[in-house]
Amino acid sequence: MRFTMIATYLAIIVTTLVLMTVYIIGLLSENLYSAETVTMFAKANIISEIISDGWGSDISAVSADEFSDVVEQSLAGTSIRGVVTNTSYSVLYDTNEESDLIGRVFMRDVMKHALDGEQEDTITDAENDMRLISVAVPIKESGNVIGCVYLADSVNAIDDTIRSTRTSLIVFSTLIIILIGMLSLGMSSIITSPLQEFRAAAREISKGNFTKRVNVKGRNEIAQMGETLNYMCDELGLLEEKRRKFVSDASHELKTPMAGIKLICDSLVAAENLDFSVIREFLTDMSDEVDRLTRIVERLLVLTKLDSGAASLNIEEVYIKMLINHVVKKLTPIAESKDIVIYTDYHDTELAPALMDYDKIYEAIYNISDNAIKYSPEGGFVHIDVTADSTDMIIRIEDNGPGIPEEERDRIFERFYRLDDSRARDTGGTGLGLAIAKEAVIMHGGTVEVVNASEVGSIFTIRLPYRKSIGG
């Protein structure tokens, strides 16, 4: 990525500088050549006008002496060569005396256009690597062309200026490219170094090392990406810890009834001449262990389904009073076996049917109520109270059990967590009921919490959105 960034920056800069150099050189060349051409045309036209006024009808070479001063004065201080010819290309005057062209024929392409009545200019290569710019303008008398003025000058100075400027631009561009390259290298290092660290961290994470963290500096997008990666590591670490604990707890829970069954089987195999009543007792114990094993597996399957997102809500209109009455009816025999009273209180309120998943809310209320019965003393009570406001339906389940220590309240909804492990095993608890209840309530967008009652016992409060119609 670093090479790509540097190459991209340099490609953009080089392209920009090349185009800029070409444009500047082209513009400079055009301006310098145009300026020189305009200057020479101006001088040639001045000479043509003066000659035209003083020439008259005499076009002999002798009369040219009369305007030689004018030509020399117009070209004074320059290196421009001036030639005046008649319509036969015969030279009447030449500022270059060494050429000895006066009276001889001197022809150039631009002069032909001038004698045709047009102004013309051109740039040609001469001897000794010299380039010349030439202009020719006609000399007119009463609208008739009687000769032409030809001016020529070297443009080597202009070419030298252009070459010097081009060289300066190339040097300047090279320095800029070097500077941009160094800056690009530094910037790419600043940008890609954290990314390399992120990549190394990602590789460690892929190997299961969720303790890996990256250094976060600043508040830019790269830093935010680092914070996100660290947060992901934290979450994955937490999930991994929960997964390991879940596997450990599940293995332990499954191992206990399996060990019981194995012990009973070994006892039956090792014993001789057993009475039928003893065999029945062993088989009854084995059946209880199998039932316990079945409950654990069923609840594990429920939790797995909830975790995987496969569980969906089957929304329907549910009369909450009818649902709770079914829960109470189901739990009454269990409560009566411990001399516990389970009763409801609806406050004589008519509750309209609410939209919810009957089975999941039934499971949630059943698990919490069943848990309250298991941990309440003989002769105790379980009270289910239902109220509603404009937005929520509130279901309170109160018991007079031993209560829950404040430091344990956040953990009782964890899977396989028990306050009193030995007692829970005696009551057949799996440690999964409250976890399932919380998952079911959360799926409905509700909450569940627990507090200790004023004197003794606990109060579980379930809050569910009170939707009375689809979209309500």
Side-chain angles (χ1 to χ4, degrees):
M1 182 177 180
R2 179 180 300 181
F3 174 78
T4 302
M5 292 179 64
I6 295 175
T8 301
Y9 290 148
L10 290 180
I12 294 173
I13 295 300
V14 169
T15 302
T16 302
L17 291 175
V18 169
L19 293 177
M20 182 183 70
T21 300
V22 171
Y23 174 76
I24 291 175
I25 294 301
L27 185 63
L28 178 63
S29 300
E30 182 181 355
N31 288 339
L32 291 177
Y33 288 134
S34 296
E36 183 66 15
T37 301
V38 169
T39 300
M40 293 180 67
F41 268 128
K43 293 181 179 297
N45 279 295
I46 291 174
I47 295 171
S48 174
E49 290 293 331
I50 295 176
I51 291 176
S52 176
D53 292 339
W55 198 337
S57 59
D58 186 1
I59 58 173
S60 65
V62 178
S63 62
D65 293 337
E66 300 178 1
F67 53 77
S68 61
D69 292 340
V70 174
V71 176
E72 291 179 357
Q73 291 175 2
S74 298
L75 302 180
T78 68
S79 59
I80 300 174
R81 179 187 181 184
V83 177
V84 180
T85 69
N86 57 20
T87 56
S88 299
Y89 299 100
S90 178
V91 177
L92 302 179
Y93 181 77
D94 184 3
T95 57
N96 186 1
E97 297 177 354
E98 295 179 359
S99 64
D100 194 24
L101 289 178
I102 296 177
R104 297 182 180 182
V105 174
F106 180 75
M107 297 182 64
R108 294 290 185 271
D109 290 338
V110 292
M111 296 172 63
K112 181 179 183 303
H113 290 280
L115 293 176
D116 289 338
E118 301 175 357
Q119 297 186 17
E120 186 65 23
D121 66 275
T122 186
I123 296 178
T124 58
D125 294 329
E127 298 178 354
N128 301 324
D129 295 329
M130 181 179 293
R131 299 178 70 237
L132 297 176
I133 182 170
S134 306
V135 300
V137 298
I139 303 173
K140 296 182 179 180
E141 169 65 25
S142 301
N144 297 319
V145 177
I146 59 176
C148 77
V149 176
Y150 171 82
L151 301 182
D153 192 14
S154 172
V155 293
N156 285 1
I158 295 176
D159 291 341
D160 290 342
T161 301
I162 294 173
R163 281 193 293 270
S164 176
T165 304
R166 183 186 295 113
T167 301
S168 298
L169 287 174
I170 292 174
V171 172
F172 178 72
S173 299
T174 302
L175 292 176
I176 290 180
I177 291 173
I178 294 174
L179 179 60
I180 294 298
M182 295 174 62
L183 291 175
S184 299
L185 181 61
M187 291 181 62
S188 63
S189 297
I190 293 174
I191 295 174
T192 58
S193 294
L195 296 181
Q196 291 176 351
E197 186 179 0
F198 295 167
R199 183 174 61 181
R203 288 177 178 174
E204 291 296 320
I205 294 171
S206 66
K207 296 176 182 178
N209 180 13
F210 302 126
T211 61
K212 185 68 175 178
R213 297 294 182 273
V214 297
N215 295 323
V216 178
K217 298 179 181 179
R219 296 298 304 169
N220 55 25
E221 288 79 2
I222 298 295
Q224 293 175 7
M225 186 184 300
E227 291 177 351
T228 302
L229 184 61
N230 288 339
Y231 176 76
M232 183 184 71
C233 289
D234 293 336
E235 292 297 311
L236 289 175
L238 183 60
L239 288 175
E240 178 64 13
E241 182 180 353
K242 288 183 177 179
R243 183 191 68 82
R244 290 178 179 176
K245 186 176 184 303
F246 179 80
V247 172
S248 175
D249 291 342
S251 300
H252 181 72
E253 291 294 329
L254 294 173
K255 182 180 178 180
T256 301
M258 293 296 291
I261 295 173
K262 179 70 165 58
L263 179 62
I264 294 172
C265 291
D266 290 343
S267 299
L268 287 173
V269 171
E272 296 181 1
N273 301 320
L274 290 176
D275 293 337
F276 182 76
S277 59
V278 175
I279 295 176
R280 180 186 295 274
E281 182 180 352
F282 278 149
L283 292 177
T284 300
D285 292 340
M286 184 183 297
S287 177
D288 291 340
E289 292 297 332
V290 170
D291 289 340
R292 181 180 175 188
L293 183 62
T294 301
R295 288 195 302 271
I296 294 174
V297 172
E298 288 177 346
R299 295 204 164 188
L300 284 174
L301 290 175
V302 171
L303 283 173
T304 301
K305 191 175 181 181
L306 292 173
D307 288 340
S308 66
S312 58
L313 294 176
N314 181 23
I315 298 298
E316 58 181 323
E317 289 188 346
V318 175
Y319 288 89
I320 194 65
K321 290 183 180 180
M322 183 181 299
L323 183 150
I324 292 176
N325 288 338
H326 287 169
V327 171
V328 172
K329 182 178 180 181
K330 185 74 173 179
L331 291 174
T332 295
I334 300 175
E336 289 178 347
S337 66
K338 294 183 61 177
D339 194 23
I340 292 174
V341 177
I342 180 170
Y343 64 100
T344 60
D345 188 355
Y346 302 121
H347 303 281
D348 296 327
T349 303
E350 289 296 330
L351 296 173
L355 295 176
M356 61 181 67
D357 187 312
Y358 182 95
D359 292 334
K360 290 183 174 58
I361 297 302
Y362 179 94
E363 182 80 7
I365 297 175
Y366 181 94
N367 287 345
I368 295 174
S369 301
D370 181 49
N371 195 70
I373 293 172
K374 288 177 181 178
Y375 287 93
S376 294
E378 292 187 4
F381 70 88
V382 174
H383 175 212
I384 302 177
D385 180 278
V386 182
T387 58
D389 55 28
S390 59
T391 58
D392 294 326
M393 181 178 293
I394 302 98
I395 304 168
R396 298 169 71 250
I397 302 172
E398 181 180 359
D399 62 61
N400 63 337
I404 301 172
E406 184 175 356
E407 64 274 10
E408 304 286 345
R409 292 174 193 166
D410 293 335
R411 301 195 59 192
I412 61 173
F413 294 101
E414 295 179 8
R415 299 167 186 186
F416 296 111
Y417 184 78
R418 299 184 180 90
L419 287 174
D420 186 349
D421 192 68
S422 61
R423 184 178 178 188
R425 295 188 190 282
D426 293 338
T427 59
T430 63
L432 297 174
L434 293 182
I436 293 175
K438 184 176 181 179
E439 291 288 342
V441 172
I442 290 176
M443 288 184 68
H444 284 77
T447 61
V448 56
E449 58 184 14
V450 59
V451 296
N452 282 349
S454 58
E455 296 180 358
V456 65
S458 304
I459 301 175
F460 285 78
T461 303
I462 299 174
R463 301 184 70 93
L464 297 170
Y466 193 10
R467 294 184 299 165
K468 302 177 183 179
S469 60
I470 300 297

